[in-house]
Amino acid sequence: MLGMKRVIYIFQSGKLSRKDNTLMLENESGKRSIPVNAVSDINVFGEVSLNTKLLTFLSKNNIVLHFFNHYGFYVGSFYPREYYNSGLMTVLQVQHFLDEENRLFLAKSFVLGSVLNMAKNLKDVCNDFLDDIGILESAKTIPEIMAYEGKKRERYYSFFGDLINLEEFVFEKRTKRPPKNPLNALISFGNSLLYTTVLSEIYRTHLDPRIGYLHETNQRSFTLNLDIAEVFKPIIVDRVIFRLLNRKRITLKHFDQKTDASFLTENGMKIFVEEYEKKLSETIRYKNIGKVSYRRLIRLECYKLYKHFLGEKVYKPFTIKE
């Protein structure tokens, strides 16, 4: 949760509009009124029609709208005008991107956080996962860092069978578009959700999401959210997957399996979303702050980057204790 606000997920096709000072969702199930002050973000999976009047209303209320296709793949976002927009911060982010040493430091930091959190998930099945961490430390280019991250993640995924222990969910090779089997489908769907969650949290800070350091800032609209998401994939997305499969809340019946692709059904996506939101609401103790939710952790990670760009405190990625 984000205070008293929550993320709205729309799976059915229909119409989303403004009615007075509320949001109105109309579909085959009828009409549903949603108080605008109770909404932080809207994730749309169905075919939903809307108009500029609604977009203006969402922008005024700082609500980010994310769109996914029928298979759960992220399509794009309506990202309202940045109400925390900071010209100084954008300049500082660009300076860190253009300076090779600064960019390499941040890229390595995101991968380091990711690898350390992967290692926590593997603590009972792999003792030497961090033995080659020196390769990351000595990397001289972004492609070298990306190559290291890719190899580590492939090895990490190879242990999923030990963590899940279900014959019907095996990891052979990471495949994305399209995912070739149910486990790949779960990973892709969960990662898409996390990318949009991070993007929404960035929106509520002074950071510019268009400037990434590990992921290339080129034709993509947003890349900083992809960088930050690397740190949290193992402890949010992957742990949601482990929980859903080991408790058999998601089984093969929740997938639409084709000859060369596998996708979650609508019911499967709803189950995943429910567990994902539950995970984001879970709390852990964080430094001197006390208990914070996983969603809040993502925002705090943004603030850490903010302080790094200002030169107040060197960025150190979040790593889970257990």
Side-chain angles (χ1 to χ4, degrees), residues 137-151:
E137 296 170 353
S138 62
K140 297 293 192 296
T141 66
I142 297 297
E144 286 181 50
I145 297 172
M146 292 290 285
Y148 174 80
E149 189 275 338
K151 290 179 181 178

Side-chain angles (χ1 to χ4, degrees), residues 104-265:
L104 286 174
F105 172 80
L106 285 171
K108 289 180 182 180
S109 296
F110 294 129
V111 173
L112 177 62
S114 177
V115 171
L116 291 176
N117 286 329
M118 288 184 214
K120 289 295 183 179
N121 286 349
L122 299 180
K123 61 182 179 180
D124 296 325
V125 297
C126 179
N127 296 319
D128 63 350
F129 191 71
L130 297 176
D131 285 359
D132 63 353
I133 201 72
I135 297 175
L136 173 64
E137 296 170 353
S138 62
K140 297 293 192 296
T141 66
I142 297 297
E144 286 181 50
I145 297 172
M146 292 290 285
Y148 174 80
E149 189 275 338
K151 290 179 181 178
K152 292 302 288 184
R153 194 165 294 278
E154 284 295 323
R155 187 176 182 219
Y156 168 67
Y157 285 141
S158 72
F159 288 100
F160 267 36
D162 299 288
L163 298 172
I164 298 169
N165 198 28
L166 294 171
E167 291 184 2
E168 61 268 38
F169 289 93
V170 295
F171 184 85
E172 298 172 351
K173 181 181 179 182
R174 181 72 177 110
T175 53
K176 300 179 181 181
R177 290 188 177 269
K180 300 294 185 182
N181 60 25
L183 191 50
N184 271 292
L186 287 171
I187 295 170
S188 291
F189 183 67
N191 287 349
S192 289
L193 289 178
L194 184 60
Y195 294 148
T196 58
T197 298
V198 176
L199 181 59
S200 291
E201 293 305 311
I202 291 174
Y203 174 69
R204 295 172 176 93
T205 72
H206 292 289
L207 297 176
D208 190 322
R210 296 170 297 179
I211 306 168
Y213 302 89
L214 174 63
H215 295 84
E216 194 69 32
T217 298
N218 45 33
Q219 299 302 316
R220 291 193 182 99
S221 297
F222 309 113
T223 50
L224 185 59
N225 60 319
L226 306 184
D227 286 357
I228 297 174
E230 292 299 325
V231 176
F232 292 97
K233 283 178 184 178
I235 57 176
I236 295 180
V237 175
D238 298 344
R239 291 190 178 188
V240 166
I241 292 173
F242 302 151
R243 185 182 298 177
L244 286 170
L245 295 183
N246 288 327
R247 294 180 180 179
K248 295 182 169 55
R249 289 198 62 210
I250 282 186
T251 63
L252 291 182
K253 71 178 183 181
H254 295 109
F255 295 88
D256 178 11
Q257 299 194 61
K258 305 180 184 300
T259 303
D260 60 347
S262 182
F263 305 101
L264 275 165
T265 62

Side-chain angles (χ1 to χ4, degrees), residues 1-108:
M1 294 293 179
L2 185 64
M4 294 299 293
K5 296 188 176 185
R6 62 194 179 96
V7 180
I8 301 297
Y9 291 86
I10 301 175
F11 289 93
Q12 286 186 310
S13 297
K15 178 182 179 182
L16 184 64
S17 60
R18 173 185 181 178
K19 184 176 182 181
D20 299 324
N21 285 317
T22 64
L23 296 170
M24 181 63 68
L25 177 61
E26 301 176 58
N27 52 38
E28 293 180 354
S29 301
K31 295 183 178 181
R32 176 188 174 193
S33 179
I34 308 170
V36 71
N37 58 4
V39 179
S40 62
D41 309 279
I42 302 174
N43 289 348
V44 178
F45 293 85
E47 293 289 333
V48 174
S49 62
L50 42 82
N51 55 32
T52 54
K53 182 180 179 181
L54 171 71
L55 296 179
T56 300
F57 187 51
L58 295 178
S59 182
K60 181 180 178 181
N61 288 278
N62 305 312
I63 296 174
V64 184
L65 186 62
H66 302 295
F67 295 94
F68 300 79
N69 67 16
H70 175 71
Y71 297 112
F73 288 126
Y74 173 69
V75 175
S77 299
F78 168 68
Y79 199 73
R81 180 178 56 83
E82 294 90 343
Y83 67 110
Y84 281 131
N85 192 32
S86 168
L88 171 62
M89 185 51 55
T90 300
V91 169
L92 292 174
Q93 285 183 247
V94 171
Q95 288 177 346
H96 278 74
F97 175 83
L98 295 176
D99 184 279
E100 183 178 16
E101 183 178 347
N102 286 332
R103 184 183 176 189
L104 286 174
F105 172 80
L106 285 171
K108 289 180 182 180

